[in-house]
Amino acid sequence: PSIMADGGGGFAPGIVFSPAERDLAYLRTDMGGAYRWDAKTERWIPLQDGESESSFMGIESIAPDPVDADRVYMAAGMGSRGPAAIFRSEDRGAHWQKTRVPFAMGGNEGGRGLGERLAVDPNHPNTLFFGSRHDGLWRSDDRAANWHKVSAFPLAGLGAPGSPRQTHGGLSFVLFDPEHAGRIFVGSADPGADHLFRSDDGGKSWRAVAGGPAQAMLPVKAAIGGDGILTITYSDDIGPNGITR
């Protein structure tokens, strides 16, 4: 006999489009893995049917390579008590290599709609940055195989949460400006005086960006348009619950 389930729950907190190829998109879920949009068949293709580690089905962030349409990266880890890894693929997620990382993720925790935390430098595509929840900003210069913490970044992170039901928003997004080599924006969804940071030298030095809304408002997502304007959405909580404005 077969059993069919209808109306399954869960969140799909992010859809990320490839800058390198039209109609190529990836979707991340909080506990059901990652998917790629197939424009020809008009359906979502699951990318983790062979994954045996349940924690890696909680996807924290996805980053398509902005130059090579076949290359894609993924940060996975369901919660702060489980293992976390950053995945890399050369064939659009059909096969993955993974590097387990020492910083925790929260693909199925509060703040799962923030992002994207993982980003590829369009001018140096071997370089990636990842904004973690609890341990500051991290960098790889070998296509996500190895990672080290960016010591120059002003926020080191709040450290591991005190209980399984607690989490931090941490660094909510990392965004490269494709028109200005070396320019990177990073948002922080932790309490503090500053919530937006900028580097103009590829991450060697950083400064807080002045202005913006009141300190209680936290950056959620960001994008740079074709006009070069940086647009950021804000809320007064990391969500998905507790937001009032």
Side-chain angles (χ1 to χ4, degrees), residues 59-120:
I59 309 304
E60 187 83 292
S61 188
I62 291 179
D65 188 291
V67 178
D68 185 343
D70 290 334
R71 188 174 292 137
V72 62
Y73 302 90
M74 177 172 69
M78 203 170 288
S80 63
R81 305 286 167 156
I86 294 184
F87 290 62
R88 56 196 186 276
S89 173
E90 303 287 336
D91 55 11
R92 308 187 181 208
H95 303 88
W96 298 98
Q97 292 178 288
K98 71 185 79 167
T99 295
R100 296 204 177 213
V101 291
F103 44 87
M105 300 187 193
N108 192 35
E109 294 183 332
R112 66 195 74 151
L114 304 176
E116 294 296 315
R117 303 171 185 268
L118 183 63
V120 185

Side-chain angles (χ1 to χ4, degrees), residues 11 13 16 52 60-61 63 75 80 94 116-117 163 166 234 242:
F11 287 83
V16 185
S52 60
E60 187 83 292
S61 188
S80 63
E116 294 296 315
R117 303 171 185 268
S163 76
Q166 293 179 337
Y234 287 81

Side-chain angles (χ1 to χ4, degrees), residues 122-154:
N123 294 289
H124 304 281
N126 287 355
T127 297
L128 293 88
F129 281 79
F130 179 75
S132 74
R133 287 176 174 261
H134 318 298
D135 297 289
L137 185 65
W138 292 72
R139 174 176 181 153
S140 171
D141 290 297
D142 57 5
R143 293 181 179 171
N146 295 279
W147 292 84
H148 63 272
K149 191 169 185 177
V150 180
S151 58
F153 190 75

Side-chain angles (χ1 to χ4, degrees), residues 114 132-134 153-159 167-172 187-197 214-219 235-238:
L114 304 176
S132 74
R133 287 176 174 261
H134 318 298
F153 190 75
L155 302 181
L158 300 178
T167 192
H168 303 122
L171 303 182
S172 53
S188 170
D190 284 334
D194 300 307
H195 293 292
L196 181 63
F197 298 86
Q215 290 183 16
M217 298 300 284
L218 307 174
S235 64
D236 64 351
D237 196 279
I238 63 173

Side-chain angles (χ1 to χ4, degrees), residues 22-36:
R22 186 177 179 87
D23 294 330
L24 175 59
Y26 296 88
L27 178 147
R28 58 182 174 92
T29 71
D30 62 349
M31 57 187 299
Y35 297 79
R36 182 186 70 247

